[in-house]
Amino acid sequence: MLHHNKMQSEENMTMQEIQPVIQLDKVRFGWEGKPLLDIQHWQVEKGQRVFLYGPSGSGKSTLLNLLSGILKPQQGKISLLGQDITALSAGKRDRFRARHIGMIFQQFNLLPYLSVRENIELAWKFGSNGERDQGFLAHMLERLELHEALLARRASNLSVGQQQRVAVARALLNKPEIIIADEPTSALDSDLRDQFLHLLLGCVEETKATVVFVSHDKTLKDYFDIHQDLRALSVIEETA
Amino acid sequence: MLLRIASASLWNRRLTVLLTAFSIAVSVFIMLGVDHLKNELKSSFGRTVSGVDLIVGARTGSTNLLLYSVFRIGNPSNNLSWQTYQALSQSKEVAWAVPISLGDSHKGYRVMGTTPDYFVHFKYGSRQALSFDKGAAFSTTQQVVLGSEVAAKLHYHLGDELVISHGTGEVSFTHHDAYPFKVVGILAPTGTPVDQTVHVNLASIELIHASGSHSGRDHPKVQGTSQAQSNQEHDDDHDHDHAAQGVGHDLQPGSVTAMLVGLKSRIGTLTFQRKVNEYKAEPLLAIIPGVALAELWQMMGMVEKALALIALLVLLASLLGMTTMLLASMREREREIAVLRAIGAHASFVLLLIELEAILIALVGAAAGYLGLAGLLALLKGWISSEYGLFINSLPLSGSTLGYLGIIVGLAAVLALIPAILSYRTALSRGLSVRV
C-alpha cells in the first residue's frame, strides 16, 4: 500500500528494480572555475540508509543541491531512479524533486507565516497529481505526534523540535523514493536528537524510501547502514 | 495557493506593507483628486454662460472682457456708451440685448445693474434659464434680486433691506446709505458666478450715484461730509419712490459695462462680431463666450498640466518606495525562497509570488485612495458648494478612473520586476544553502 506506483511509466518501474536509486558518474562541479566536487562514481541502492559525513567546506551543500536538481554539474551524469536528471530542463528537475525527493534541513524548513497544516500541504501543491492521500497524512501526523491543536498554529510559534517533525511530515507527504536530510538534528539537544532520528527513520521505513543523511556529527553514524566520507568520495587535486 | 502565500507573507509584514499601501493611497488620492477637480472645474467653467451669442464691451482683451462680464473678476477698463448700446440692440440681426453695469458691491459681492430681461435671456449650463427660488425679478429701482449664495451667506430673506457700497472691495468706506434696496427675489443655485451676484435695476445704479452726491463716484470722501445733504435726499425718498417706478426706465445711464447679445440667427454670429469690432463710433470688442471660455481654459491648461505632473511624480515616488520595501525584504526572505525551492517550486514561482505581492499592495493602495477621495467628496460636497459655490459631483467609477487605477497597478507590477527578477536569479543560482 505504501509503495504503490509513483513512477511516471511502467518502464521506469522495472528499471528501478535493476538500477541504483542514486548514481553519479564523473560528476564535476566548481564555483567560478574553482573545483569543489569531483566524484568519479557513487551509487546508492534502493532502501539504503546512507550516512554522508564531512567537515564544513567539503562540498556537502553543493552535493545536496546537485542531488536535488537545483544545481546542475558542469560535467558528468546524475541519475535518480533511472532518470538522468542532468538531461532534464530546470522546470522538469523542479517537478522531479517535488514528486520524488523529500528534503529536510537543519532549520527554517517552514514558511513562518503559514499554519502548520498549510506548510505540510504545500508539498501536495507542487508534488501531487491532484490526489491527496488524507489517510496517509493523518497517519503521519499521528506517527510524528503532531496533534490537531498544533496544526492550526503558525509555524513560527512552534519549538524547533516540533518544527523538525513538521518538516518530516511534509518531506514524506508525497511518499517520495528519496529522502535527503541536511543536518536535521544539529539544532536539537541530544535527547530530542535521538527521539527525532527514531521517528524519522521509523517513518522512512514505512515508505521504504532511500535516505541520504548528511552530517558532520559522527556519533550519529550508528543509525545508518552505510557510512560515506565525502572527502574519500570527492577527490580534488589541490594543484588546481 | 500562490495568493494564500502572498497574502500571508504580506500580513506577516503588515506594518511596512500597510505604510507602503498608504503612501500609494495618498498618491492615488492626489492623482484622482487633481483629475476630478480639473474635470469638474472645466465643466462648471463651461456651464457659466450659454444662450448668449456675443458679449460686447469696450475694446480690451477678450479674456479680460469675459472675466469681468461673466466671472465678475477684475474691473472693466472702459465702458460702452448708451448710444452705442441702443444702436447695436436695434440692429436687424439682434434678437435681444441685455446691458450690464458693474462697479459697486455689497459686502464683497458684486452688484450688477441690468434689466429684468436678464432673467429671461441669460442661460447657464445646458441652456437652463435662471429660476427664482423665492420672489420674482425686480420691477422698480429700489428692489434687488440676490444670487443664492449671497442670500444664504448674508442671511437675507425676502423683504430685507440692504445698502450698496461704492467700489468692489470687501471693505468700502463709501456706502450708498441714502438708497436702501429691498430684497424681492432670490435666485435658485446655479453653480455659476450668478450665485454671488446682487442684481439691481440698471437705472438704480444711475440713481444711487446721482443721489448721494454727484461727485461721490470720483471723490468718495465727499459723501461723509455731506451727511446733511444725504439726509435731505433721504427725505425726498418718498416722492422718489413714486417717481422711480414711473421714471425708472426713462432714467438713462450714460454708459454700461457690457452688453449680452442674442442673435436672430446664430449663423450670422461671425459677421455680426466683425461688424461690432469694426464699429466706427467707438472702439468695441465682441466675443463669442464659448470661444473665449476655451481660450481662458487653455491658459489654465498649464496649471492643470503642472498639477498632473506633480501627481504623477508623487505616484512614482510611492511606487519606488514599494520597490525599495520589497527589495529590503529580499534578504530575510532568502529562507522562504529556499523552502519553496526545496519543496519543488520553480524559480518562476518566486517571481510570481513577489509580483503578486506588489500587485496586492498596489490594489489595496489604489482602492483605499479611491474610496478615501470618494468618501471625502461625499462628505464635503455640501460644504464646498456652500463655501465656494463650486458644485463638485461625486467621484465616478468611470472608464477613465478605472484606467488610472489600472495604470497604477500596472506600474507597480513593472517596478516590482526589479526585486522579482533579482530573487528569481537568486533562487536559480543560490541553491538551498541559506546564509544564516
Side-chain angles (χ1 to χ4, degrees):
Chain A
M1 166 216 149
L2 292 170
H3 186 243
H4 56 221
N5 181 16
K6 291 195 33 64
M7 296 305 300
Q8 281 154 329
S9 66
E10 287 300 320
E11 191 187 346
N12 277 350
M13 187 70 184
T14 50
M15 282 173 78
Q16 191 193 339
E17 304 302 330
I18 314 155
Q19 299 228 352
V21 172
I22 300 170
Q23 183 175 342
L24 275 68
D25 282 298
K26 298 188 180 69
V27 171
R28 274 169 168 270
F29 187 87
W31 288 111
E32 288 150 7
K34 212 179 143 209
L36 199 65
L37 276 180
D38 188 346
I39 300 174
Q40 276 302 308
H41 180 80
W42 186 50
Q43 67 178 57
V44 178
E45 306 300 332
K46 181 174 173 350
Q48 281 185 337
R49 298 166 172 192
V50 180
F51 184 70
L52 191 66
Y53 62 92
S56 53
S58 58
K60 280 182 300 183
S61 304
T62 308
L63 179 57
L64 293 184
N65 277 321
L66 289 170
L67 285 178
S68 61
I70 298 222
L71 296 180
K72 210 173 154 176
Q74 277 112 9
Q75 282 177 37
K77 199 171 119 177
I78 299 172
S79 294
L80 301 177
L81 307 166
Q83 169 75 57
D84 177 8
I85 63 161
T86 48
L88 296 177
S89 68
K92 283 191 175 150
R93 289 202 307 273
D94 291 330
R95 186 97 188 109
F96 188 91
R97 177 170 66 254
R99 292 178 55 106
H100 302 294
I101 305 175
M103 304 197 73
I104 305 160
F105 298 107
Q106 182 178 357
Q107 49 181 326
F108 311 120
N109 278 290
L110 311 175
L111 297 184
Y113 43 78
L114 293 185
S115 74
V116 171
R117 180 180 283 281
E118 284 172 320
N119 262 291
I120 296 172
E121 292 183 352
L122 216 49
W124 273 336
K125 147 86 182 157
F126 296 103
S128 90
N129 302 333
E131 59 166 308
R132 298 183 157 208
D133 193 341
Q134 295 286 356
F136 181 69
L137 172 59
H139 172 67
M140 274 294 135
L141 291 176
E142 198 192 327
R143 191 91 172 68
L144 291 161
E145 292 163 41
L146 295 167
H147 306 299
E148 196 61 36
L150 211 65
L151 297 184
R153 282 166 65 182
R154 271 168 59 112
S156 56
N157 292 339
L158 267 53
S159 71
V160 182
Q162 287 169 327
Q163 288 191 25
Q164 292 304 84
R165 280 185 277 139
V166 173
V168 172
R170 190 185 58 205
L172 290 168
L173 188 63
N174 291 319
K175 287 168 261 177
E177 291 84 349
I178 304 167
I179 295 288
I180 295 174
D182 182 7
E183 309 250 18
T185 55
S186 66
L188 304 174
D189 59 42
S190 59
D191 285 355
L192 276 175
R193 196 179 56 202
D194 290 336
Q195 199 191 340
F196 176 80
L197 276 168
H198 275 116
L199 275 176
L200 171 66
L201 295 173
C203 290
V204 167
E205 189 136 2
E206 286 189 22
T207 63
K208 300 200 168 52
T210 307
V211 179
V212 176
F213 190 101
V214 182
S215 181
H216 66 279
D217 183 359
K218 285 192 183 179
T219 60
L220 301 175
K221 70 176 197 279
D222 292 343
Y223 287 94
F224 300 89
D225 321 325
I226 294 177
H227 309 148
Q228 176 69 58
D229 188 332
L230 187 56
R231 286 165 297 182
L233 189 61
S234 167
V235 184
I236 295 162
E237 290 161 26
E238 292 298 326
T239 50
Chain B
M1 185 48 97
L2 183 65
L3 184 65
R4 167 71 188 129
I5 297 177
S7 51
S9 161
L10 288 176
W11 184 246
N12 192 42
R13 292 172 287 144
R14 53 192 169 275
L15 184 64
T16 44
V17 166
L18 285 178
L19 278 176
T20 309
F22 181 71
S23 83
I24 292 176
V26 169
S27 60
V28 167
F29 180 94
I30 295 173
M31 201 161 155
L32 290 182
V34 165
D35 188 58
H36 184 62
L37 273 184
K38 177 199 82 186
N39 291 339
E40 288 298 300
L41 277 180
K42 193 170 182 176
S43 79
S44 96
F45 209 72
R47 285 166 48 88
T48 45
V49 53
S50 83
V52 174
D53 292 320
L54 285 171
I55 299 172
V56 180
R59 187 159 296 168
T60 173
S62 62
T63 305
N64 196 27
L65 177 56
L66 181 78
L67 281 177
Y68 66 70
S69 64
V70 174
F71 291 94
R72 327 265 188 261
I73 295 171
N75 288 306
S77 48
N78 229 326
N79 277 4
L80 180 77
S81 76
W82 185 247
Q83 287 82 358
T84 302
Y85 166 73
Q86 281 191 315
L88 284 177
S89 57
Q90 278 149 25
S91 301
K92 62 181 190 305
E93 299 95 329
V94 173
W96 55 265
V98 173
I100 59 172
S101 190
L102 298 156
D104 287 324
S105 67
H106 174 70
K107 298 190 176 164
Y109 291 101
R110 297 290 183 105
V111 172
M112 185 175 84
T114 184
T115 63
D117 281 349
Y118 177 82
F119 302 107
V120 177
H121 294 301
F122 185 84
K123 303 266 170 41
Y124 71 98
S126 38
R127 298 195 149 250
Q128 289 160 272
L130 297 174
S131 66
F132 284 88
D133 189 27
K134 292 182 189 111
F138 46 72
S139 51
T140 75
T141 50
Q142 282 166 305
Q143 294 175 336
V144 63
V145 169
L146 301 179
S148 64
E149 189 191 318
V150 183
K153 277 288 178 57
L154 303 178
H155 308 293
Y156 282 130
H157 301 286
L158 289 185
D160 287 351
E161 290 206 339
L162 57 91
V163 160
I164 282 167
S165 314
H166 188 70
T168 53
E170 184 138 10
V171 178
S172 173
F173 297 101
T174 316
H175 303 298
H176 300 294
D177 295 330
Y179 209 85
F181 287 86
K182 193 171 166 192
V183 177
V184 295
I186 295 171
L187 292 169
T190 62
T192 73
V194 171
D195 295 349
Q196 294 139 34
T197 306
V198 175
H199 306 81
V200 298
N201 205 313
L202 187 62
S204 315
I205 299 273
E206 291 311 307
L207 273 174
I208 56 179
H209 291 121
S211 65
S213 93
H214 289 282
S215 52
R217 195 168 213 162
D218 302 310
H219 306 283
K221 279 178 186 163
V222 175
Q223 201 185 29
T225 56
S226 60
Q227 193 63 43
Q229 194 188 349
S230 277
N231 287 339
Q232 191 195 332
E233 292 278 345
H234 197 77
D235 292 338
D236 294 343
D237 268 4
H238 297 288
D239 307 330
H240 203 81
D241 219 343
H242 299 295
Q245 279 169 18
V247 176
H249 293 290
D250 300 335
L251 202 96
Q252 287 181 350
S255 65
V256 295
T257 304
M259 61 190 280
L260 310 177
V261 178
L263 297 177
K264 283 173 185 150
S265 155
R266 298 193 76 183
I267 301 163
T269 308
L270 287 173
T271 320
F272 188 72
Q273 186 187 20
R274 192 173 331 117
K275 185 177 157 188
V276 172
N277 286 339
E278 288 166 0
Y279 196 71
K280 290 279 181 338
E282 198 175 349
L284 295 178
L285 175 71
I287 56 170
I288 302 168
V291 175
L293 279 169
E295 278 175 20
L296 185 56
W297 186 254
Q298 272 188 342
M299 277 168 54
M300 293 169 70
M302 288 300 287
V303 180
E304 174 203 326
K305 279 186 190 122
L307 281 175
L309 184 69
I310 290 167
L312 187 70
L313 289 177
V314 171
L315 176 74
L316 271 181
S318 67
L319 289 179
L320 280 174
M322 182 197 70
T323 310
T324 313
M325 189 275 284
L326 287 173
L327 270 175
S329 69
M330 285 339 298
R331 178 96 173 76
E332 59 183 271
R333 301 189 67 190
E334 275 181 16
R335 288 165 185 168
E336 271 176 67
I337 293 169
V339 169
L340 286 168
R341 291 283 283 149
I343 310 170
H346 190 250
S348 58
F349 183 86
V350 174
L351 187 138
L352 285 177
L353 178 65
I354 288 159
E355 276 291 319
L356 186 62
E357 287 182 8
I359 288 169
L360 283 177
I361 295 174
L363 273 178
V364 169
Y370 171 81
L371 291 176
L373 183 64
L376 200 72
L377 281 178
L379 271 177
L380 296 184
K381 219 162 108 178
W383 182 76
I384 291 173
S385 75
S386 73
E387 199 72 11
Y388 297 102
L390 266 176
F391 287 85
I392 306 284
N393 284 310
S394 312
L395 190 63
L397 195 58
S398 63
S400 77
T401 312
L402 284 174
Y404 271 119
L405 296 180
I407 287 169
I408 289 159
V409 174
L411 261 178
V414 169
L415 282 171
L417 279 175
I418 302 169
I421 288 174
L422 274 178
S423 50
Y424 172 81
R425 291 171 57 170
T426 310
L428 273 186
S429 65
R430 169 81 33 81
L432 301 177
S433 51
V434 171
R435 291 176 302 184
V436 180

